[in-house]
Amino acid sequence: MSLTDAVLLIFIVLMLLYAMYDEFGMNLLKGKTLLKVQLKRSNRLDCLIFVGLLAILIYRNVTTQGAPLTTYLLISLALVAVYISYIRWPKLLFKSQGFFYANAFIEYSRIRAMNLSEDGILVIDLEQRRLLIQVTKLDDLERIYHFLVENQ
Protein backbone atom coordinates (compact mmCIF):
# COMPACT_ATOMS: atom_id res chain seq x y z
CA MET A 1 0.00 0.00 0.00
CA SER A 2 1.46 3.33 -1.06
CA LEU A 3 1.28 6.59 0.85
CA THR A 4 -1.44 7.79 -1.55
CA ASP A 5 -3.57 4.74 -0.80
CA ALA A 6 -3.08 5.21 2.95
CA VAL A 7 -4.15 8.85 2.76
CA LEU A 8 -7.19 7.95 0.64
CA LEU A 9 -8.13 5.24 3.13
CA ILE A 10 -7.82 7.69 6.04
CA PHE A 11 -10.10 10.19 4.29
CA ILE A 12 -12.66 7.49 3.48
CA VAL A 13 -12.71 6.31 7.10
CA LEU A 14 -13.03 9.89 8.39
CA MET A 15 -15.89 10.64 6.00
CA LEU A 16 -17.67 7.42 6.98
CA LEU A 17 -17.24 8.25 10.67
CA TYR A 18 -18.69 11.70 10.03
CA ALA A 19 -21.65 10.19 8.15
CA MET A 20 -22.34 7.73 11.00
CA TYR A 21 -22.07 10.48 13.63
CA ASP A 22 -24.42 12.68 11.63
CA GLU A 23 -26.95 9.90 11.11
CA PHE A 24 -26.83 8.06 14.43
CA GLY A 25 -24.53 9.79 16.92
CA MET A 26 -26.37 13.07 17.30
CA ASN A 27 -29.62 11.22 18.03
CA LEU A 28 -27.96 9.45 20.96
CA LEU A 29 -26.13 12.45 22.45
CA LYS A 30 -27.58 14.98 24.92
CA GLY A 31 -30.74 13.02 25.70
CA LYS A 32 -33.86 12.21 23.75
CA THR A 33 -34.59 13.96 20.45
CA LEU A 34 -37.82 15.93 20.91
CA LEU A 35 -38.11 17.41 17.41
CA LYS A 36 -36.34 16.61 14.16
CA VAL A 37 -36.52 19.00 11.19
CA GLN A 38 -34.95 18.49 7.76
CA LEU A 39 -32.96 21.41 6.38
CA LYS A 40 -32.22 22.44 2.81
CA ARG A 41 -29.12 20.99 1.30
CA SER A 42 -26.19 23.21 0.47
CA ASN A 43 -22.75 22.84 -1.12
CA ARG A 44 -24.04 20.63 -3.91
CA LEU A 45 -21.84 22.37 -6.46
CA ASP A 46 -18.78 21.85 -4.27
CA CYS A 47 -19.44 18.12 -4.17
CA LEU A 48 -20.00 18.00 -7.91
CA ILE A 49 -16.62 19.66 -8.48
CA PHE A 50 -14.97 17.29 -5.99
CA VAL A 51 -16.48 14.20 -7.64
CA GLY A 52 -15.48 15.57 -11.06
CA LEU A 53 -11.88 15.94 -9.89
CA LEU A 54 -12.00 12.41 -8.50
CA ALA A 55 -13.31 11.18 -11.88
CA ILE A 56 -10.31 12.81 -13.55
CA LEU A 57 -8.00 11.06 -11.08
CA ILE A 58 -9.74 7.73 -11.67
CA TYR A 59 -9.44 8.16 -15.45
CA ARG A 60 -5.78 9.10 -15.13
CA ASN A 61 -5.07 6.13 -12.85
CA VAL A 62 -6.82 3.69 -15.21
CA THR A 63 -5.17 5.01 -18.40
CA THR A 64 -1.67 4.94 -16.89
CA GLN A 65 -2.36 1.47 -15.50
CA GLY A 66 -1.98 2.53 -11.88
CA ALA A 67 -2.66 0.33 -8.90
CA PRO A 68 -6.18 -1.14 -8.87
CA LEU A 69 -6.39 -0.48 -5.13
CA THR A 70 -5.99 3.24 -5.79
CA THR A 71 -8.82 3.13 -8.33
CA TYR A 72 -11.11 1.35 -5.87
CA LEU A 73 -10.25 3.81 -3.11
CA LEU A 74 -10.93 6.79 -5.39
CA ILE A 75 -14.29 5.31 -6.40
CA SER A 76 -15.13 4.69 -2.72
CA LEU A 77 -14.21 8.26 -1.83
CA ALA A 78 -16.46 9.56 -4.62
CA LEU A 79 -19.36 7.38 -3.44
CA VAL A 80 -19.04 8.55 0.17
CA ALA A 81 -18.90 12.19 -1.00
CA VAL A 82 -22.05 11.69 -3.09
CA TYR A 83 -23.79 10.11 -0.09
CA ILE A 84 -22.87 12.97 2.22
CA SER A 85 -23.87 15.71 -0.22
CA TYR A 86 -26.78 14.27 -2.20
CA ILE A 87 -28.39 11.37 -0.32
CA ARG A 88 -28.26 12.34 3.35
CA TRP A 89 -30.38 15.25 4.56
CA PRO A 90 -28.97 17.85 6.94
CA LYS A 91 -31.14 18.11 10.01
CA LEU A 92 -31.91 20.21 13.04
CA LEU A 93 -32.36 18.14 16.20
CA PHE A 94 -34.02 19.69 19.23
CA LYS A 95 -33.18 18.23 22.64
CA SER A 96 -34.30 19.28 26.12
CA GLN A 97 -31.23 21.49 26.82
CA GLY A 98 -30.47 22.72 23.30
CA PHE A 99 -30.31 21.77 19.65
CA PHE A 100 -27.89 20.34 17.11
CA TYR A 101 -27.26 22.52 14.08
CA ALA A 102 -24.44 21.79 11.63
CA ASN A 103 -23.27 18.98 13.94
CA ALA A 104 -22.70 21.39 16.83
CA PHE A 105 -24.75 21.47 20.02
CA ILE A 106 -26.12 24.90 20.92
CA GLU A 107 -27.76 25.46 24.30
CA TYR A 108 -30.99 27.42 24.45
CA SER A 109 -29.44 29.86 26.93
CA ARG A 110 -27.09 31.10 24.19
CA ILE A 111 -29.98 32.37 22.05
CA ARG A 112 -30.23 36.17 22.19
CA ALA A 113 -32.88 36.75 19.50
CA MET A 114 -34.88 34.91 16.87
CA ASN A 115 -36.35 36.39 13.71
CA LEU A 116 -38.01 35.10 10.58
CA SER A 117 -36.98 36.63 7.27
CA GLU A 118 -39.40 37.29 4.44
CA ASP A 119 -38.12 34.35 2.41
CA GLY A 120 -38.67 31.80 5.21
CA ILE A 121 -35.23 31.71 6.79
CA LEU A 122 -35.12 31.44 10.57
CA VAL A 123 -32.40 33.71 11.94
CA ILE A 124 -31.09 32.83 15.40
CA ASP A 125 -28.69 35.31 17.00
CA LEU A 126 -26.20 33.86 19.45
CA GLU A 127 -23.58 35.74 21.47
CA GLN A 128 -21.08 36.16 18.65
CA ARG A 129 -22.69 34.40 15.74
CA ARG A 130 -25.82 34.32 13.63
CA LEU A 131 -27.40 31.08 12.43
CA LEU A 132 -29.39 31.10 9.19
CA ILE A 133 -31.67 28.07 9.20
CA GLN A 134 -33.41 27.12 5.94
CA VAL A 135 -36.01 24.39 6.33
CA THR A 136 -37.32 22.28 3.47
CA LYS A 137 -40.99 22.78 4.38
CA LEU A 138 -42.36 26.08 5.66
CA ASP A 139 -44.66 24.17 8.02
CA ASP A 140 -41.55 23.12 9.92
CA LEU A 141 -40.99 26.75 10.97
CA GLU A 142 -44.33 26.67 12.76
CA ARG A 143 -43.39 23.37 14.42
CA ILE A 144 -40.11 24.91 15.61
CA TYR A 145 -41.95 27.96 16.95
CA HIS A 146 -44.48 25.86 18.88
CA PHE A 147 -41.73 23.62 20.22
CA LEU A 148 -39.69 26.56 21.49
CA VAL A 149 -42.73 28.24 23.04
CA GLU A 150 -43.83 25.07 24.82
CA ASN A 151 -40.39 24.05 26.07
CA GLN A 152 -38.87 27.38 27.06
Side-chain angles (χ1 to χ4, degrees), residues 73-93:
L73 289 173
L74 286 170
I75 291 170
S76 299
L77 186 62
L79 290 174
V80 172
V82 166
Y83 170 77
I84 288 175
S85 294
Y86 290 102
I87 297 172
R88 135 192 114 77
W89 283 92
K91 54 192 155 292
L92 185 62
L93 300 175

Side-chain angles (χ1 to χ4, degrees), residues 94-114:
F94 287 95
K95 306 285 186 159
S96 58
Q97 264 73 42
F99 61 94
F100 279 99
Y101 175 71
N103 299 321
F105 186 73
I106 299 164
E107 293 184 0
Y108 294 127
S109 60
R110 293 185 55 202
I111 297 175
R112 299 294 175 239
M114 289 178 56

Side-chain angles (χ1 to χ4, degrees), residues 104-133:
F105 186 73
I106 299 164
E107 293 184 0
Y108 294 127
S109 60
R110 293 185 55 202
I111 297 175
R112 299 294 175 239
M114 289 178 56
N115 295 311
L116 184 62
S117 70
E118 294 175 4
D119 49 346
I121 297 174
L122 179 64
V123 180
I124 298 177
D125 290 322
L126 303 176
E127 300 98 5
Q128 300 175 354
R129 181 176 158 178
R130 178 176 283 179
L131 304 177
L132 303 174
I133 299 173

Side-chain angles (χ1 to χ4, degrees), residues 133-146:
I133 299 173
Q134 293 180 304
V135 296
T136 55
K137 302 174 192 162
L138 289 178
D139 295 339
D140 289 338
L141 290 173
E142 186 176 336
R143 290 177 45 212
I144 292 171
Y145 171 75
H146 288 301

Side-chain angles (χ1 to χ4, degrees), residues 9-125:
L9 188 61
I10 288 170
F11 278 116
I12 291 168
V13 168
L14 289 175
M15 288 175 74
L16 285 173
L17 287 174
Y18 165 75
M20 287 191 313
Y21 168 76
D22 185 58
E23 193 65 34
F24 305 112
M26 288 190 308
N27 285 333
L28 301 174
L29 294 176
K30 305 287 184 180
K32 183 181 176 190
T33 300
L34 303 174
L35 179 65
K36 184 177 184 179
V37 177
Q38 286 187 347
L39 302 176
K40 285 188 178 177
R41 291 181 175 142
S42 61
N43 301 329
R44 293 178 124 188
L45 182 61
D46 295 340
C47 179
L48 185 63
I49 293 169
F50 181 66
V51 170
L53 291 172
L54 286 175
I56 292 170
L57 288 173
I58 292 168
Y59 174 76
R60 173 93 176 155
N61 192 48
V62 169
T63 57
T64 59
Q65 296 167 352
L69 178 63
T70 304
T71 304
Y72 297 137
L73 289 173
L74 286 170
I75 291 170
S76 299
L77 186 62
L79 290 174
V80 172
V82 166
Y83 170 77
I84 288 175
S85 294
Y86 290 102
I87 297 172
R88 135 192 114 77
W89 283 92
K91 54 192 155 292
L92 185 62
L93 300 175
F94 287 95
K95 306 285 186 159
S96 58
Q97 264 73 42
F99 61 94
F100 279 99
Y101 175 71
N103 299 321
F105 186 73
I106 299 164
E107 293 184 0
Y108 294 127
S109 60
R110 293 185 55 202
I111 297 175
R112 299 294 175 239
M114 289 178 56
N115 295 311
L116 184 62
S117 70
E118 294 175 4
D119 49 346
I121 297 174
L122 179 64
V123 180
I124 298 177
D125 290 322

